[in-house]
């Protein structure tokens, strides 16, 4: 008997939309056909009126395990992820201890194997002392190597030009960069502190972590990648100006790619008045003009993927004064519905959202047999319904451990009804399915 039969869905995949049934057996997509008859499955879902898409693959999350589990852990945050249609995630190295050694990497994999609802991969971190370890990494064992070229949560800044140069030369796999120029940020912050003391307003954040700080760092990263032939992926672009550094085109032809995060597409600096430190993040959310340029760059394939940078902090931490309120927001539970708002607003087509949240991410990281609705591939699926009336996010139970969402005042037009991870029901009928266990992502490198 098969595991799951989804009937009457509208599949959105590889540039096409079409009605079909989809059968899942042994964790994989067994069959896609206009009508699948004469087969019995343990679970059957009539998906009339719902889109069936490959689950979102999130290339940037901070699930806080180990070391900051009062904010979240792999179990809690992966539950929130599957409730939002995310079937795979790649976690960042700024944990405690940071992921700077193969032992720390192995520890994270062990933890995820025991507790993750979604499929998982881990990025390896960079310090000034671990370049030999990085150079010796097996590219199939890590999702990527992450360098903080700007300081953020976790104090992992690497800004020594010689260390960076060696990293760009010897990194054996895709190098992900957080780009902000820390000296100019510190200088800006000093000016604000002279005027406001402790009480710098939240709206100053994009003026402290400003467009110039982003450009100085991302242009340096792109320049080094061009010089040394590095496979570079610049994370969370936030400004119009940086977009000139990137070329349009399909992801598989590029050796320099870019990510934008869902909050930089959905919020702008007018939102600090209502949300304050809740939307304080690094790099900062900037102007409406920047937001609109990011949207256009996504639509024009200058930006390759949408990630979340899910970075939970507690409300107590967020209520502190500017200098002590940490940066980052919890996003996974509403990221895919939020990205789908761009369809409603006429910015992206539905097939483009699926490309940027799934196909392109799978291609960019060379993830084996995921990210597409194809027979033989792993069944990582989300069933999404477009509602007649947008629903208020404040009505949703919040699954991230920190218990809040920056979308609380928003109305969203889409809801994830069902998520399937490696062939198992992970989220269904408003409930996380407790027996679901994610698998490690495999990388064809
Ligand atoms: O806002 C952010 N929060 N940006 C980062 O780079 C790190 C993240 C976190 O870990 O809190």
């Amino acid at each position: 008997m098969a595991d799951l039969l989804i009937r009457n869905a509208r599949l959105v995949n590889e540039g096409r939309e079409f009605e079909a049934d989809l059968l899942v057996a042994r964790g994989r997509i067994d069959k896609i056909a206009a009508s699948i008859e004469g087969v019995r499955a343990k679970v059957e879902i009539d998906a009339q009126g719902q889109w069936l898409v490959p689950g979102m693959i999130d290339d940037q999350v901070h699930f806080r395990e180990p070391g900051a589990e009062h904010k979240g852990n792999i179990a809690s945050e992966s539950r929130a992820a599957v409730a939002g249609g995310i079937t795979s995630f790649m976690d960042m190295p700024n944990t405690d201890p940071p992921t700077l050694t193969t032992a720390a990497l192995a520890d994270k994999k062990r933890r995820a194997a025991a507790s993750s609802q979604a499929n998982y991969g881990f990025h390896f971190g960079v310090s000034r002392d671990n370049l030999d370890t990085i150079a010796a990494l097996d590219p199939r064992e890590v999702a990527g190597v992450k360098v903080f070229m700007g300081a953020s949560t976790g104090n992992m800044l690497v800004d020594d030009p010689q260390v960076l140069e060696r990293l760009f030369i010897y990194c054996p796999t895709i190098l992900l960069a957080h780009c902000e120029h820390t000296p100019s940020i510190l200088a800006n912050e000093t000016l604000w502190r002279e005027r406001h003391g402790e009480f710098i307003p939240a709206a100053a954040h994009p003026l402290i972590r400003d467009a110039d700080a982003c450009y100085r760092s991302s242009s340096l990263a792109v320049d080094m990648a061009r010089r040394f032939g590095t496979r570079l992926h610049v994370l969370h672009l936030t400004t119009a100006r940086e977009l000139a550094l990137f070329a349009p085109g399909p992801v598989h032809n590029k050796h320099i790619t870019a990510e934008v995060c869902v909050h930089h597409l959905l919020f702008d600096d007018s939102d600090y008045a209502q949300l304050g430190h809740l939307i304080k993040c690094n790099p900062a959310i900037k102007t409406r003009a920047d937001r609109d340029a990011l949207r256009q760059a996504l639509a024009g394939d200058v930006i390759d993927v949408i990630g979340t940078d899910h970075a939970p902090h507690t409300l107590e931490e967020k209520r502190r004064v500017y200098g002590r309120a940490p940066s980052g927001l919890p996003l996974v539970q509403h990221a895919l519905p939020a990205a789908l708002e761009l369809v409603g607003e006429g910015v992206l087509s539905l097939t483009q959202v699926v490309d940027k949240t799934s196909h392109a991410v799978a291609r960019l990281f060379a993830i084996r047999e995921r990210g597409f609705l194809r027979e033989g591939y792993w069944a990582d699926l989300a069933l999404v319904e477009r509602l007649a009336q947008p629903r208020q996010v404040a009505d949703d139970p919040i699954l991230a451990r920190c218990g809040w969402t920056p979308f609380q005042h928003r109305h969203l037009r889409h809801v994830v009804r069902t998520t399937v991870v490696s062939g198992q029901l992970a989220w269904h009928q408003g409930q996380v399915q407790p027996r679901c266990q994610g698998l490690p992502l495999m990388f064809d490198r």
Side-chain angles (χ1 to χ4, degrees), residues 60 62 64 94 146 148 152-153 178 236 280-283 309 311 313 327-329:
Q60 184 177 195
H62 303 264
R64 306 298 188 208
N94 58 336
K146 160 73 182 286
F148 282 88
S152 193
T153 309
H178 176 132
H236 39 43
K280 181 183 186 223
C281 57
N282 304 337
D309 198 8
H313 297 284
S327 291
L329 10 160

Side-chain angles (χ1 to χ4, degrees), residues 284-332:
I285 290 165
K286 301 204 173 54
T287 66
R288 172 71 57 115
D290 288 309
R291 187 205 74 171
D292 290 347
L294 295 169
R295 290 175 166 201
Q296 288 318 311
L298 195 56
D301 286 336
V302 173
I303 297 178
D304 303 283
V305 297
I306 303 175
T308 68
D309 198 8
H310 175 88
H313 297 284
T314 66
L315 276 177
E316 185 277 316
E317 292 163 335
K318 284 292 200 179
R319 287 193 187 113
R320 297 176 187 163
V321 290
Y322 178 82
R324 293 196 299 116
S327 291
L329 10 160
L331 290 150
V332 284

Side-chain angles (χ1 to χ4, degrees), residues 148-188:
F148 282 88
M149 289 176 64
S152 193
T153 309
N155 213 2
M156 292 184 75
L157 175 66
V158 177
D159 59 356
D160 178 330
Q162 283 178 354
V163 175
L164 284 175
E165 207 168 291
R166 285 182 59 209
L167 172 68
F168 274 66
I169 293 171
Y170 295 113
C171 187
T173 188
I174 184 166
L175 178 64
L176 289 74
H178 176 132
C179 293
E180 287 184 291
H181 185 245
T182 299
S184 45
I185 293 170
L186 294 176
N188 291 340

Side-chain angles (χ1 to χ4, degrees), residues 124-317:
F124 205 79
V126 181
S127 73
R128 46 182 311 125
D129 309 316
N130 77 339
L131 289 186
D132 291 344
T133 309
I134 290 173
L137 283 174
D138 179 343
R140 290 165 299 188
E141 291 297 318
V142 293
V145 172
K146 160 73 182 286
V147 59
F148 282 88
M149 289 176 64
S152 193
T153 309
N155 213 2
M156 292 184 75
L157 175 66
V158 177
D159 59 356
D160 178 330
Q162 283 178 354
V163 175
L164 284 175
E165 207 168 291
R166 285 182 59 209
L167 172 68
F168 274 66
I169 293 171
Y170 295 113
C171 187
T173 188
I174 184 166
L175 178 64
L176 289 74
H178 176 132
C179 293
E180 287 184 291
H181 185 245
T182 299
S184 45
I185 293 170
L186 294 176
N188 291 340
E189 189 168 345
T190 301
L191 292 178
W192 279 85
R193 210 166 283 287
E194 279 166 10
R195 268 182 280 158
H196 295 268
E198 286 280 275
F199 302 102
I200 296 172
H205 193 55
L207 307 173
I208 292 172
R209 288 190 173 254
D210 65 4
D212 187 55
C214 293
Y215 188 80
R216 285 177 74 160
S217 180
S218 49
S219 58
L220 173 67
V222 168
D223 181 55
M224 284 201 298
R226 286 196 187 125
R227 268 195 287 147
F228 301 124
T230 319
R231 174 67 190 88
L232 175 70
H233 184 47
V234 179
L235 296 167
H236 39 43
L237 292 184
T238 56
T239 66
R241 190 169 166 212
E242 291 169 287
L243 298 170
L245 298 167
F246 301 89
V251 69
H252 53 270
N253 289 338
K254 296 182 182 178
H255 86 274
I256 299 176
T257 50
E259 178 214 49
V260 64
C261 291
V262 92
H263 45 306
H264 297 120
L265 294 167
L266 272 289
F267 296 101
D268 62 57
D269 58 4
S270 66
D271 292 302
Y272 289 106
Q274 183 179 40
L275 295 169
H277 293 157
L278 294 186
I279 56 164
K280 181 183 186 223
C281 57
N282 304 337
I285 290 165
K286 301 204 173 54
T287 66
R288 172 71 57 115
D290 288 309
R291 187 205 74 171
D292 290 347
L294 295 169
R295 290 175 166 201
Q296 288 318 311
L298 195 56
D301 286 336
V302 173
I303 297 178
D304 303 283
V305 297
I306 303 175
T308 68
D309 198 8
H310 175 88
H313 297 284
T314 66
L315 276 177
E316 185 277 316
E317 292 163 335

